[in-house]
Amino acid sequence: MTTDLPARARVVVVGGGVIGTSVAYHLTKLGWTDVLLLEQGTLSCGTTWHAAGLVGPLRASESGTRLVQYSAELYARLEAETGLATGYRNVGGVIVARTEDRMVQLRRTAANAAAYDMECELLTPAQARDLWPVMAVDDLLGAIWLPGDGKVNPTDLTQSLAKGARQGGARIVERVRVTGYTVAGSGAGRRVTGVRTDRGDVEAEVVVTCAGQWSKALGDRAGVTVPLHSAEHFYVVTEAVDGVHPDLPIMRDPDGFTYFKEEVGGLVVGGFEPEAKPWRSPDTIPHPFEFQLLEEDWEHFSVLMDEALVRIPALAETGIRKFYNGPESFTPDNQFLLGETPGLRGHFVGAGFNSVGIASAGGAGRALAEWIVEGEATTDLVGVDVRRFAPFNANNRWLRDRVAEVLGLHYAVPWPNRELETARPFRCSPVHDRLAARGAVFGSRMGWERPNVFAPSPAEPRLHYAWGKQSWLPWSAAEQRATRQDVAVFDQTSFSKYVVSGPGSLAWLQWVCANDVDVEPGRVVYTPWLNARGTYEADLTVTRVAADEFLLVSSSATTVRDLDWLERHRPDGVTATVRDVTSAHAVLGVMGPRSREVLQALTDSALGEEAFLFATSRELFLGHATVRATRMTYVGELGWELLVPMELTTGVYDLLRAADVADAGYYTIESLRLEKGYRAFGRELTPDFGPVEAGLVFATALDRDKDFLGRSALAAHREALRAPGPRRRLVSFVLEDPEPMLWGGELVLLDGRPVGQVTSAAWGETVGACVGLAYLRRDEAVTADWLAAGGFQVDVGGDQFGIRATLRAPL
Ligand SMILES: NCCCC(=O)O
């Protein structure tokens, strides 16, 4: 280990925990050897050293699963490369269920495993006890066995990764405290140029902040958002327990909030209590804080210990060797933070690991290193991308309130449509209170309160979660009927909105948009944004407002990400600006066959079929307000999206209500769009799929004489269709039986063999059954004839039901 501090390095990694060392290791593997890792204390001394070291590869998403699967493979082979053991043991894992709802979750987990080609076996309570003889099983309904689970020694793993990084050429310097960043340029060109330390400045092209709970304050100093907050995380290590041996599997009892693993003949007993104890504000995390723990809090821990005693009665007779109260970083949505931070080019972050840092470190380190070297993420990392948060998420009090809930989510039943409850309401549209008074049940996206569904009076406006049909379904069914047969208004204010203007705006958008946006002013174009691999980065509409001015409307959750993507792909020499106008305009979607009649009564402008064509947009007077009306639909009915200045929105809404327009919410949008086969970014359209697989080549300019980002890759995808080989294709489907409820994520089978997974599903009131979209894979092209031959089924919590799959939408 060197003590000299170099004056420059190509990459400086801040933080010598398991994440920082993994990033350094993987950078050197990719040939970037001029890497300097700076650690304020000694390796692993902050959080890593007190992590429990569980490695469970099977996750809720395929991308998350692949990431941890790679971690496990790496930990198993690292000793052979570095000579330093990681302590990795592939002991397997048992998860037990106390309730029927949990059993459904476990059966869904088993189906996920089949979709990802991983092993997972359903167990009876007696079989679970055979694998884990020290537990009581009388109250259990069942369990699953995950042969791929393992455990690792976090400190040894960090040392081994560090040695591998040094072998690859990286330098590691301990006892250097990074106090900030050096920065050059401004606006979209603002760039990190190095770090400031307590031993002087170090220049760098790239800085990677993997500083755990110190990352937030460091980010604040440079104006970058790293939204995390520490919470106390508790576990104890017991004295030896009879029957506990080093190869005892990991055991998780999520209904009791607890996990267990063997350690020197005793048990680690830890968990995720439903109401957590946030630690101090990110501004005040002490330094030094090395190999240090917080005070024992037996009262808080009793929530976990009482449950542990239910599962392992022998603990009542077993002494406690050590109590660990180690603070760890949690994020507002329980997913970690990865990627280049918007607003500071060259600065990357890998932090906020929500107590799964050890399991994630191998995969996350590789993903971040690839991102740095390639200049963009190489797989679907949307769910962990730091750009899913905005500067308003940096508020420490907001984070503190949210984190109290987030820690407990680890083992909570992952209900379909589950909404977080803390730190809300947050961002409210002008009609929020009016909608609340009309029975709206709100969800939250990008901080916005959005009506999911309206409870008719006198029903209680609340969601009651279930795996089957939830209590609000009849309310949404009524909204669906209103939209298909009459007219409804949807508050879609949370849409991301940007204005691109200036002489170079067309050239800029023609490069970034895969469709052709060189259209007459007043026309609207539906387009993907593709990366160099020809897969999705965004899915949006572009309205040409004037020769040099465009209005972009995109998903609610992607405001920061889209803006960053656009800025990052501005061609050299282009003179144009982009403004985020999301908070300036509300959006009211007026949808349904009566929409024309209702709106026509409020305006002197002609709204007839010929006078106001589909995919056109213009300003008009509506009542006393001036709005931009766009004839567009995501529900498949005649309708207009009204872009309304925030301060005029209540007036417009009141006019619509006076015309007896029904209120409807996002659950209804989901059902209606799936009946029509409309895709959504983040579900069907992700950086793992392109327009060929999604069936959306028609929404690109591939057959026109126009260059665009991702064009050559997209052309290659289409060409590959003609060659023999396996294929994936998005298909629509309808469930044959109207009783079961689907939510997305379900396994699709053909004659009992896994062939794909549902991306989205919902109740389709018009179709009279659940409808959805699913990616299917086959050794050759997925054709209409193959689908028509039938034999497809979905797995719904362990039971299989027939579906009719088609390339065309059901409605
Ligand atoms: N740090 C504890 C991880 C718990 C789990 O993997 O379930």
Side-chain angles (χ1 to χ4, degrees):
M1 199 89 52
T2 172
T3 54
D4 295 338
L5 184 66
R8 79 166 312 283
R10 187 172 191 189
V11 184
V12 169
V13 178
V14 183
V18 71
I19 307 298
T21 51
S22 178
V23 171
Y25 170 85
H26 285 95
L27 281 168
T28 63
K29 289 283 166 213
L30 293 172
W32 281 38
T33 54
D34 184 10
V35 175
L36 173 67
L37 185 151
L38 301 177
E39 163 53 47
Q40 61 183 347
T42 55
L43 292 182
S44 85
C45 74
T47 306
T48 297
W49 73 275
H50 60 69
L54 276 52
V55 184
L58 189 57
R59 303 274 147 178
S61 70
E62 176 156 11
S63 51
T65 299
R66 299 296 173 223
L67 193 136
V68 183
Q69 212 177 12
Y70 168 76
S71 295
E73 283 160 26
L74 174 69
Y75 304 165
R77 66 174 154 81
L78 201 56
E79 182 179 358
E81 182 186 330
T82 65
L84 290 185
T86 64
Y88 180 75
R89 284 173 103 102
N90 172 211
V91 291
V94 177
I95 306 179
V96 301
R98 300 186 188 191
T99 65
E100 183 50 35
D101 285 330
R102 185 70 67 180
M103 269 318 291
V104 174
Q105 184 201 343
L106 296 190
R107 288 188 209 108
R108 289 178 69 96
T109 302
N112 272 357
Y116 309 152
D117 210 12
M118 294 179 68
E119 286 181 78
C120 174
E121 196 186 323
L122 284 161
L123 303 176
T124 63
Q127 287 171 320
R129 193 185 38 217
D130 289 345
L131 286 164
W132 230 84
V134 286
M135 75 169 151
V137 297
D138 295 352
D139 60 331
L140 296 182
L141 300 189
I144 52 173
W145 166 237
L146 297 158
D149 275 20
K151 59 182 181 176
V152 70
N153 181 321
T155 300
D156 292 350
L157 170 62
T158 306
Q159 293 293 348
S160 195
L161 286 165
K163 182 155 180 214
R166 282 199 304 271
Q167 284 173 341
R171 289 166 289 178
I172 296 178
V173 188
E174 297 180 316
R175 303 241 164 262
V176 179
R177 188 173 184 212
V178 172
T179 53
Y181 310 102
T182 56
V183 170
S186 61
R190 193 165 170 264
R191 216 195 141 81
V192 75
T193 56
V195 293
R196 294 203 182 286
T197 82
D198 55 2
R199 288 174 49 189
D201 292 356
V202 181
E203 274 179 46
E205 278 172 39
V206 172
V207 173
V208 195
T209 298
C210 305
Q213 50 198 340
W214 289 268
S215 305
K216 165 77 169 52
L218 269 177
D220 284 348
R221 265 174 244 160
V224 296
T225 308
V226 186
L228 52 81
H229 195 292
S230 300
E232 300 181 27
H233 177 56
F234 303 90
Y235 67 84
V236 295
V237 183
T238 73
E239 302 287 358
V241 179
D242 271 353
V244 169
H245 54 84
D247 286 321
L248 188 74
I250 309 297
M251 199 269 280
R252 296 178 178 89
D253 180 7
D255 297 310
F257 325 122
T258 42
Y259 60 82
F260 307 87
K261 74 158 197 177
E262 180 276 344
E263 192 161 300
V264 279
L267 284 171
V268 167
V269 180
F272 297 101
E273 65 281 13
E275 206 171 317
K277 220 181 142 189
W279 194 40
R280 36 201 309 170
S281 165
D283 293 340
T284 64
I285 307 292
H287 166 79
F289 188 77
E290 297 175 24
F291 298 110
Q292 233 172 294
L293 294 171
L294 306 180
E295 279 194 5
E296 297 180 5
D297 184 343
W298 281 99
E299 194 180 327
H300 195 84
F301 188 69
S302 65
V303 178
L304 304 176
M305 199 60 202
D306 290 351
E307 297 293 344
L309 285 164
V310 171
R311 189 60 46 235
I312 307 169
L315 289 179
E317 321 296 327
T318 309
I320 300 298
R321 205 178 277 152
K322 189 161 172 66
F323 188 111
Y324 284 81
N325 177 3
E328 297 185 355
S329 309
F330 291 83
T331 64
D333 63 357
N334 209 26
Q335 302 290 333
F336 51 83
L337 306 170
L338 217 61
E340 191 170 6
T341 49
L344 189 60
R345 297 269 170 266
H347 175 256
F348 289 76
V349 67
F353 275 82
N354 304 292
S355 204
V356 290
I358 305 303
S360 310
R366 180 173 72 165
L368 201 47
E370 287 175 351
W371 198 328
I372 293 164
V373 170
E374 298 293 327
E376 63 186 39
T378 56
T379 56
D380 177 9
L381 295 170
V382 173
V384 295
D385 193 321
V386 67
R387 292 172 297 177
R388 69 191 187 278
F389 294 110
F392 53 73
N393 294 116
N395 179 302
N396 287 335
R397 285 198 184 192
W398 184 86
L399 286 166
R400 180 185 179 86
D401 288 350
R402 170 54 60 86
V403 153
E405 179 183 16
V406 161
L407 178 144
L409 293 180
H410 268 285
Y411 288 168
V413 173
W415 293 119
N417 289 335
R418 185 188 183 112
E419 295 284 349
L420 296 182
E421 289 170 6
T422 45
R424 291 181 55 198
F426 190 31
R427 302 175 80 192
C428 294
S429 100
V431 293
H432 173 273
D433 292 357
R434 279 170 163 73
L435 302 184
R438 297 193 53 77
V441 187
F442 293 94
S444 170
R445 191 66 58 89
M446 199 66 173
W448 288 103
E449 294 294 320
R450 312 194 313 173
N452 278 335
V453 69
F454 288 79
S457 182
E460 186 197 11
R462 264 199 68 138
L463 299 180
H464 298 278
Y465 297 126
W467 289 110
K469 289 179 175 155
Q470 299 186 354
S471 56
W472 50 264
L473 202 63
W475 312 341
S476 171
E479 294 172 16
Q480 292 179 45
R481 289 192 299 274
T483 316
R484 291 261 186 259
Q485 295 162 20
D486 188 42
V487 60
V489 56
F490 297 84
D491 178 12
Q492 295 173 283
T493 299
S494 62
F495 272 147
S496 303
K497 311 152 205 117
Y498 324 89
V499 172
V500 180
S501 57
S505 49
L506 178 62
W508 189 2
L509 289 173
Q510 283 291 71
W511 172 242
V512 176
C513 296
N515 210 340
D516 189 352
V517 298
D518 188 5
V519 291
E520 290 293 305
R523 295 222 63 111
V524 186
V525 177
Y526 171 54
T527 182
W529 287 356
L530 303 178
N531 52 40
R533 304 191 313 284
T535 58
Y536 276 88
E537 291 292 337
D539 174 65
L540 67 161
T541 59
V542 176
T543 300
R544 191 166 196 177
V545 173
D548 287 341
E549 185 175 326
F550 295 82
L551 169 69
L552 280 50
V553 178
S554 180
S555 322
S556 309
T558 57
T559 316
V560 176
R561 176 193 171 85
D562 294 341
L563 206 53
D564 182 65
W565 185 263
L566 194 59
E567 289 283 17
R568 183 180 293 277
H569 295 94
R570 174 200 291 260
D572 287 343
V574 152
T575 312
T577 56
V578 55
R579 274 179 304 131
D580 174 6
V581 296
T582 303
S583 295
H585 305 278
V587 177
L588 298 177
V590 184
M591 299 288 150
R594 196 162 63 87
S595 56
R596 179 177 282 127
E597 179 191 320
V598 167
L599 294 175
Q600 190 64 83
L602 300 174
T603 183
D604 296 334
S605 300
L607 301 185
E609 184 59 41
E610 297 303 319
F612 205 132
L613 294 172
F614 181 72
T616 64
S617 174
R618 79 172 78 122
E619 281 198 343
L620 48 81
F621 301 137
L622 200 71
H624 295 161
T626 306
V627 307
R628 170 164 287 282
T630 299
R631 199 172 146 204
M632 192 43 71
T633 179
Y634 194 46
V635 296
E637 298 299 330
L638 174 70
W640 280 263
E641 283 172 2
L642 306 177
L643 193 74
V644 191
M646 282 294 183
E647 68 276 21
L648 301 180
T649 308
T650 51
V652 172
Y653 175 79
D654 289 347
L655 289 174
L656 297 169
R657 285 291 321 141
D660 219 13
V661 175
D663 290 296
Y666 274 85
Y667 291 162
T668 289
I669 293 179
E670 184 71 354
S671 294
L672 299 176
R673 71 123 180 146
L674 289 170
E675 284 183 328
K676 293 284 180 178
Y678 298 154
R679 285 75 163 136
F681 183 74
R683 307 288 283 278
E684 290 76 35
L685 312 178
T686 77
D688 281 346
F689 295 95
V692 172
E693 291 157 314
L696 292 180
V697 176
F698 73 87
T700 73
L702 188 56
D703 293 323
R704 290 192 211 165
D705 183 20
K706 189 205 106 158
D707 198 13
F708 56 86
L709 180 55
R711 183 187 171 105
S712 50
L714 178 59
H717 294 169
R718 191 163 66 173
E719 197 51 39
L721 267 185
R722 302 199 180 103
R727 305 273 195 282
R728 294 181 305 186
R729 177 66 157 89
L730 193 67
V731 304
S732 275
F733 70 85
V734 177
L735 197 62
E736 283 167 355
D737 184 335
E739 282 314 308
M741 187 65 201
L742 300 187
W743 298 103
E746 292 83 5
L747 173 70
V748 183
L749 305 121
L750 173 60
D751 301 327
R753 242 177 346 100
V755 288
Q757 200 172 14
V758 176
T759 51
S760 306
W763 172 256
E765 175 69 3
T766 307
V767 167
C770 279
V771 291
L773 289 161
Y775 274 109
L776 302 189
R777 55 174 187 267
R778 193 186 179 209
D779 289 338
E780 52 197 290
V782 171
T783 60
D785 286 348
W786 180 63
L787 297 175
F792 295 96
Q793 295 184 309
V794 283
D795 184 290
V796 185
D799 296 319
Q800 270 124 46
F801 298 90
I803 56 170
R804 285 189 307 279
T806 49
L807 291 180
R808 298 180 76 93
L811 268 193

